[in-house]
Amino acid sequence: MTSLFTRRRLLRGLTAATAATVLATTLAACGGESDAATTTDTAGTVTVGRLSNGAAQETPIKVSEVKSISARLPEALRQRGTLVIGSGTLPSGAPPLGFTGSDQKTLTGSEVDLARLVAAVLGLKSEVKRFTWENLFVGIDSGKVDVGFSNITDTEERKRKYEFASYRKGKDDLAFETPKSAGWTFDGDYRVLAGKTVSVGAGTNQERILLEWKRKLEKEGKKLTVKYFQDSNSTYLALGSGKIDAYFGPNPNLAYHVTQTASTPHPTRIAGQFSGAGETLQGLIAATAKKGSGLAQPLADAINHLIANGQYAAWLKAWHLSGEALPKSEVNPPGLPLDNS
């Protein structure tokens, strides 16, 4: 799922039913950073899907250090013994990728679970820190974070500052969520958005795409209104009240939210999808470290170990993401080009 054009917070989704929890989380983390509660597993086991409130199947996965891989880590990181993992999921979370678990304190989600598996292969303890989307990258830049696991898309723009180890497909990862009663569907033609009001997360790949469609419509004498909200609860309240026609965001998040609204007074639906990489490109989601950190190669080696030994497939299956599997992790694979729209 995104691209680094930072101006406001990323908006992604929990349901309105969890508003009280979100408010508490936001107030506790008003500085833009929050340590996630740690989860203790039996030695040699990482349990994925824990506390997911039905978003995943809790699955214990056997995994241990591979010394031939951990030996390639930067010496300072090996001596420290802890991998600091960044998650750009404040304030509201982004199920199923990263969100506050059913115990109301532990960060759970597919992204942090893979990070914990990778840390185990590297022989490191995992320490997860939560940030707003834009502050996640500030954390990587400043050294507060070793690596971001947060649905970050590999782009040529980002390669100017970061290095990548791919781990999941990003193609077709964007969607429009509308009220179930809406009578329109997005079929890839931006003209269907003429006259509509759409919310999007600022500083994201989907914002870049939506603003390009807005510019095209303006040239044709048509209007597309783009709205921004402080958090996903506000977005979904606006969607339910008719203040916006759609929310354009990562498909896994929106698809999860649709299931949560099915029996509510304001059910929603996925009203069309679009590849975050464009119509012909394959976008890749990647672990993201500071350029020159020396982390991309051991991260990719650890992911490939998980792929070869079945733990990667078990992780994807637990989170219902098997369709986004990659055959191998690559270091700095071709990313979305600078001129991709």
Side-chain angles (χ1 to χ4, degrees), residues 139-185:
I140 297 172
D141 295 343
S142 67
K144 285 186 176 181
V145 171
D146 295 315
V147 57
F149 275 83
S150 197
N151 202 47
I152 303 170
T153 301
D154 169 18
T155 73
E156 295 305 310
E157 171 78 18
R158 286 181 175 149
K159 278 182 184 164
R160 293 170 172 173
K161 296 179 67 176
Y162 308 104
E163 55 188 46
F164 297 100
S166 58
Y167 60 84
R168 190 161 51 78
K169 291 180 183 178
K171 189 174 177 64
D172 295 327
D173 66 337
L174 301 178
F176 287 91
E177 184 176 359
T178 69
K180 192 172 183 179
S181 58
W184 62 276
T185 298

Side-chain angles (χ1 to χ4, degrees), residues 165-243:
S166 58
Y167 60 84
R168 190 161 51 78
K169 291 180 183 178
K171 189 174 177 64
D172 295 327
D173 66 337
L174 301 178
F176 287 91
E177 184 176 359
T178 69
K180 192 172 183 179
S181 58
W184 62 276
T185 298
F186 180 83
D187 60 1
D189 185 353
Y190 67 89
R191 295 174 183 86
V192 76
L193 301 175
K196 293 183 171 55
T197 299
V198 180
S199 175
V200 71
T204 61
N205 188 41
Q206 53 266 28
E207 181 198 28
R208 179 178 59 83
I209 292 169
L210 191 64
L211 292 179
E212 178 61 23
W213 288 335
K214 176 182 169 71
R215 285 189 287 269
K216 288 182 177 181
L217 286 169
E218 286 173 348
K219 289 179 180 179
E220 299 170 11
K222 301 170 184 176
K223 184 177 182 180
L224 167 60
T225 302
V226 178
K227 291 278 190 181
Y228 300 93
F229 295 91
Q230 184 165 347
D231 56 41
S232 55
N233 285 310
S234 300
T235 302
Y236 283 124
L237 287 172
L239 187 64
S241 65
K243 291 182 179 178

Side-chain angles (χ1 to χ4, degrees), residues 231-299:
D231 56 41
S232 55
N233 285 310
S234 300
T235 302
Y236 283 124
L237 287 172
L239 187 64
S241 65
K243 291 182 179 178
I244 59 174
D245 298 299
Y247 176 28
F248 187 41
N251 183 67
N253 303 23
L254 273 56
Y256 173 81
H257 183 258
V258 167
T259 67
Q260 302 301 295
T261 68
S263 59
T264 71
H266 301 288
T268 60
R269 68 182 179 115
I270 297 299
Q273 295 179 324
F274 188 78
S275 169
E279 296 177 357
T280 59
L281 297 174
Q282 173 65 73
L284 297 173
I285 305 303
T288 304
K290 191 173 183 178
K291 189 172 183 178
S293 67
L295 280 177
Q297 188 62 61
L299 287 168

Side-chain angles (χ1 to χ4, degrees), residues 105-151:
K105 64 179 181 179
T106 303
L107 178 67
T108 188
S110 60
E111 302 292 272
V112 68
D113 275 352
L114 178 61
R116 292 168 58 230
L117 288 166
V118 167
V121 173
L122 296 174
L124 300 172
K125 295 179 180 179
S126 57
E127 178 184 348
V128 182
K129 289 182 176 290
R130 295 186 73 186
F131 300 84
T132 58
W133 177 251
E134 65 271 26
N135 282 337
L136 167 60
F137 294 96
V138 174
I140 297 172
D141 295 343
S142 67
K144 285 186 176 181
V145 171
D146 295 315
V147 57
F149 275 83
S150 197
N151 202 47

